[in-house]
Amino acid sequence: MTHTHSAVTDVLDFVTQQLPFSTLPASCAHFFVNHAKVVYITALNQAELLSSEQKYLYLVRSGVFDLVDNSGEVVTRLGEGDYFGYPSLLTGEDIQNHLEVQTGGLIFLLPQEDFDFLRREYPQFEQHFVRAHKKRLLSSHFKERGRGWSEQKISTLMCRTAVTIEPKASVVEAAKVMHKAGVSSVIITENGQLSGIVTDRDLRNRVLAAELDPRASVTKVMTRDPKFIFENNRAFAALHLMLKHNIHHLPVLNEERMPLGMVTSTDLLRQQKHDPVQLIGQIYKANSHQEVVHLAKEVPALLRGFSNTVEDISFIGTLLSGLTDAMTSRLTELFIKQQGEPPCRFCWICFGSQAREEQTLHSDQDNGLIVSNSILPHQRAYFAKLGEFVTGHLISCGIKACPGGIMASNEQCRGTVDEWLMRFEQWCQTPTPQAMLNSKIFFDRRFMFGDQSLYQALNAQLNNMQKQDIFFAAMATDISANSVPMGLFQQFKLQRDKRKHGYLDLKTRGVAIVNDLARIYALKCGLTKANTQARLEALKAFSILSKEDIYNLQDCWRFLTQLRFRIQIEDLDLPPNCINPEHLSSLERHQLKEAFHLIKQAQQACVFKFARGSL
């Protein structure tokens, strides 16, 4: 560069503030400044200035640029201090991405031969860009492309906008609107909000068969406060809701709860080409617990087939949890049918991986019962029998018993709202190791069946509970005690089985740590979500974690979960959730090391935030 002394000083000051130069000897930054050239890039000259076939390391001094791949998708947005171009410099492969100027600015260009010189002379310089490249690979590996039908947003499957009428309309007017629009249902709205729904089946059963006057108000035959789904939910969630409640029409609402359209079971089944979701419907209609058990035996084979239809096979966790929900709900209904109505209000709740909707083929049970505060002593026997019945038959269905006894068959996992609240208060106020273990399970919870108001009452009080700093410090310390399996020089620390074969535990030493991190931050921010990815997504609205850290944790969780399901589906001869890294490709081993590295960094940051005053 030929610049005045002050200009060179300004450039040098800027470069030395950027990683990796800020951690390297000053000579490294001086070399970069003396060998890089600077260009001012605009939308008009970018093709001319960036068209050279020679490869460069690019450093953005000013301006805003989008790095775009061959499909037109933005890989990342670049601003001051950001690098690009290093993947092709490291791998020797052709440049895959191109730059699109959002705001013109200065960019430094360091030629390939000078980049290679810095790699040889300064190992930390090379490590920085190798790590950045791994992180880019890890992130791009999970960009959502071509998702299966069950993962599509429900809004993409709607065939038409909402057909609506007002409550003052008559039955015959509703029928005319449906006929004219060529639809099998109509939504009744009041002040723009969903009030009810009328289907062609309602017209047959509630009007014609009942000989109702067609001039009667449509409110006399509509289903009030019908089930609905929000536009951004997945198709799987819609079909699950329909099968669970035996309904065929589901209004689709926006976030303001205004109807956007209608999706029907026909719409969804037309998309669906595989059997696992159909199996949920069969389970909900089973006539005996023997039939539920028989249907459950189909699950492993069906999931192996289903895994070939979705790009992100971690979605199987949602499907498995849906199947367990169906088994639990139907077994509860069958018990009530046999033993009579419950003596008081109750609800069945689940914990752990089922609550997070992250079950695997090796997941065990975690569940419990909430009963009314007004329950009488002799009425508790009914719920003890209910817990035994459901958990026992779930074991027969292949859902293993919880080794720690976290099941509704255990008296400690049944109780009134007040009794449950006392348990949580004790764990928070006296964070013993056992309390920390309980927190990992019971703070991931979800309503499943029964009187939802009981669950809502417990949740409301738990959310208002003042959690002490000592509780979060103990959680953070507990999280830090579980280390990732990486040793010196970025080498895997393998466990050994009886045959001395080496393996890595992806669940305990990877996925579980990310779950724990998402949980502690979610609890600190008062979030009620249980799903790990949903928690991380919601945390973007808070300042407790940077968005980059959140994206890293999301990518690590997806990558490790993908590997877990793959080894379970392939049924490799290893302990559950474990993998031999020698069975991975070179790229996958690099990605796995980077995932563990990022998780370790997140653990250390968590301890710094919550536990530094207590260690």
Side-chain angles (χ1 to χ4, degrees):
M1 289 184 188
T2 56
H3 298 287
T4 64
H5 177 73
S6 61
V8 171
T9 302
D10 177 65
V11 171
L12 189 61
D13 287 344
F14 170 75
V15 173
T16 54
Q17 291 174 17
Q18 313 306 316
L19 285 171
F21 297 105
S22 60
T23 62
L24 292 169
S27 56
C28 186
H30 278 281
F31 183 91
F32 180 92
V33 171
N34 291 329
H35 291 81
K37 64 179 181 179
V38 62
V39 295
Y40 187 83
I41 304 293
T42 68
L44 296 177
N45 68 11
Q46 70 177 71
E48 175 187 351
L49 294 177
L50 300 179
S51 61
S52 171
E53 293 184 2
Q54 184 177 358
K55 296 173 183 176
Y56 293 95
L57 172 68
Y58 300 89
L59 171 60
V60 178
R61 177 66 177 88
S62 61
V64 179
F65 309 89
D66 282 345
L67 197 62
V68 182
D69 65 17
N70 291 332
S71 69
E73 185 174 353
V74 176
V75 176
T76 187
R77 173 156 287 189
L78 303 166
E80 180 179 318
D82 288 330
Y83 296 94
F84 63 101
Y86 54 84
S88 58
L89 294 175
L90 293 169
T91 64
E93 297 175 353
D94 293 338
I95 297 172
Q96 300 296 320
N97 304 321
H98 66 276
L99 209 63
E100 290 187 358
V101 178
Q102 300 300 317
T103 303
L106 293 171
I107 296 181
F108 300 121
L109 288 71
L110 185 71
Q112 169 93 59
E113 59 271 20
D114 297 315
F115 178 82
D116 289 340
F117 173 81
L118 291 178
R119 289 178 67 185
R120 291 191 301 270
E121 294 296 315
Y122 303 96
Q124 282 183 275
F125 178 88
E126 180 179 53
Q127 289 170 10
H128 174 84
F129 289 103
V130 168
R131 180 162 289 158
H133 181 44
K134 291 176 185 175
K135 190 179 296 186
R136 176 79 59 78
L137 286 171
L138 184 62
S139 179
S140 63
H141 187 74
F142 295 105
K143 287 195 176 293
E144 298 178 341
R145 307 168 189 267
R147 302 177 105 189
W149 75 270
S150 53
E151 298 175 272
Q152 293 180 34
K153 289 182 178 179
I154 199 66
S155 57
T156 65
L157 301 180
M158 291 191 310
C159 297
R160 58 170 67 238
T161 56
V163 178
T164 65
I165 57 172
E166 295 185 356
K168 63 183 180 182
S170 66
V171 170
V172 70
E173 287 173 329
K176 288 180 178 179
V177 168
M178 291 165 62
H179 174 71
K180 183 176 180 180
V183 294
S184 58
S185 63
V186 63
I187 297 173
I188 293 83
T189 58
E190 192 165 5
N191 298 323
Q193 303 290 302
L194 174 66
S195 177
I197 179 178
V198 170
T199 68
D200 51 5
R201 180 177 296 183
D202 294 329
L203 296 181
R204 291 195 304 271
N205 297 343
R206 299 177 182 178
V207 180
L208 295 176
E211 298 183 352
L212 182 72
D213 185 348
R215 292 170 296 180
S217 170
V218 72
T219 58
K220 289 186 177 295
V221 299
M222 75 179 187
T223 299
R224 296 181 181 275
D225 301 320
K227 301 293 180 184
F228 62 86
I229 195 164
F230 289 111
E231 60 178 319
N232 291 323
N233 282 14
R234 293 179 177 183
F236 167 76
L239 187 53
H240 187 188
L241 195 61
M242 289 179 175
L243 293 169
K244 181 175 182 178
H245 297 284
N246 194 28
I247 55 180
H248 303 277
H249 298 79
L250 199 61
V252 180
L253 311 185
N254 62 17
E255 293 300 324
E256 287 72 42
R257 293 180 174 262
M258 299 181 66
L260 296 178
M262 182 77 73
V263 65
T264 69
S265 55
T266 303
D267 294 332
L268 296 177
L269 291 173
R270 188 183 300 122
Q271 298 285 334
Q272 191 224 331
K273 302 178 180 66
H274 298 274
D275 289 335
V277 180
Q278 290 277 33
L279 182 60
I280 292 177
Q282 294 175 306
I283 291 171
Y284 276 121
K285 295 176 182 178
N287 293 314
S288 66
H289 68 266
Q290 292 93 339
E291 187 176 350
V292 174
V293 172
H294 175 74
L295 290 168
K297 295 186 186 301
E298 300 180 29
V299 172
L302 287 173
L303 287 178
R304 289 186 176 92
F306 184 76
S307 67
N308 297 319
T309 71
V310 289
E311 182 166 328
D312 183 359
I313 63 172
S314 64
F315 175 68
I316 292 177
T318 305
L319 185 59
L320 269 171
S321 300
L323 286 160
T324 306
D325 286 0
M327 295 174 201
T328 306
S329 297
R330 189 56 185 153
L331 288 169
T332 304
E333 290 172 335
L334 290 169
F335 177 86
I336 294 172
K337 187 176 180 181
Q338 293 174 14
Q339 300 295 323
E341 290 297 315
C344 68
R345 295 183 301 131
F346 83 99
C347 74
W348 189 286
I349 54 177
C350 58
F351 305 107
S353 61
Q354 186 182 354
R356 296 192 304 271
E357 298 182 281
E358 297 167 8
Q359 284 189 293
T360 71
L361 290 169
H362 297 301
S363 293
D364 54 43
Q365 295 185 50
D366 291 307
N367 48 54
L369 285 166
I370 306 175
V371 296
S372 170
N373 281 331
S374 63
I375 189 172
L376 299 174
H378 70 274
Q379 294 174 335
R380 292 181 182 264
Y382 178 96
F383 297 105
K385 291 179 181 177
L386 171 60
E388 289 284 355
F389 179 89
V390 175
T391 58
H393 290 309
L394 283 176
I395 293 171
S396 300
C397 290
I399 316 297
K400 296 178 292 186
C402 173
I406 310 298
M407 298 184 295
S409 53
N410 180 353
E411 185 178 5
Q412 294 303 309
C413 294
R414 303 190 301 271
T416 65
V417 173
D418 288 346
E419 288 167 347
W420 275 109
L421 189 61
M422 287 175 61
R423 293 165 186 164
F424 278 95
E425 285 180 335
Q426 184 177 6
W427 300 329
C428 293
Q429 293 173 5
T430 312
T432 63
Q434 182 60 46
M436 289 300 95
L437 178 60
N438 289 338
S439 297
K440 290 183 178 183
I441 299 171
F442 291 102
F443 275 106
D444 296 349
R445 60 189 181 275
R446 180 166 58 84
F447 168 82
M448 283 192 54
F449 182 91
D451 190 330
Q452 192 166 5
S453 66
L454 293 171
Y455 178 74
Q456 291 169 338
L458 175 65
N459 254 9
Q461 294 186 69
L462 287 178
N463 293 338
N464 293 330
M465 185 188 300
Q466 183 65 41
K467 301 176 183 69
Q468 304 297 323
D469 288 344
I470 190 174
F471 170 75
F472 288 105
M475 286 190 74
T477 303
D478 182 73
I479 292 170
S480 68
N482 183 16
S483 61
V484 297
M486 295 297 297
L488 295 174
F489 310 113
Q490 284 290 93
Q491 297 300 309
F492 292 122
K493 291 175 65 176
L494 301 179
Q495 296 172 254
R496 301 283 174 181
D497 61 18
K498 294 179 180 178
R499 297 164 297 175
K500 305 299 183 183
H501 293 167
Y503 64 87
L504 300 170
D505 187 334
L506 299 178
K507 176 188 175 182
T508 304
R509 310 290 292 279
V511 175
I513 301 175
V514 180
N515 292 343
D516 292 344
L517 291 166
R519 182 185 306 108
I520 189 173
Y521 287 114
L523 289 174
K524 187 65 176 177
C525 294
L527 299 174
T528 58
K529 302 174 186 295
N531 178 267
T532 299
Q533 290 285 11
R535 280 172 165 169
L536 291 170
E537 192 66 31
L539 285 169
K540 293 176 183 176
F542 299 84
S543 58
I544 196 167
L545 278 175
S546 72
K547 288 189 176 179
E548 181 182 4
D549 290 339
I550 292 172
Y551 286 131
N552 285 340
L553 288 173
Q554 287 179 313
D555 286 341
C556 292
W557 187 92
R558 289 192 191 99
F559 177 67
L560 295 174
T561 301
Q562 291 269 42
L563 286 183
R564 281 181 74 194
F565 275 114
R566 194 177 86 189
I567 60 180
Q568 289 184 9
I569 288 168
E570 292 175 358
D571 197 21
L572 300 176
D573 186 21
L574 284 169
N577 301 302
C578 297
I579 193 167
N580 183 341
E582 295 303 317
H583 296 163
L584 301 175
S585 67
S586 175
L587 175 59
E588 287 173 326
R589 285 195 296 273
H590 280 306
Q591 291 173 323
L592 186 55
K593 287 181 179 180
E594 183 61 21
F596 287 141
H597 171 76
L598 293 172
I599 292 171
K600 183 177 181 180
Q601 283 188 324
Q603 280 181 292
Q604 293 170 339
C606 179
V607 171
F608 182 79
K609 283 185 174 76
F610 294 109
R612 62 183 183 274
S614 303
L615 294 177

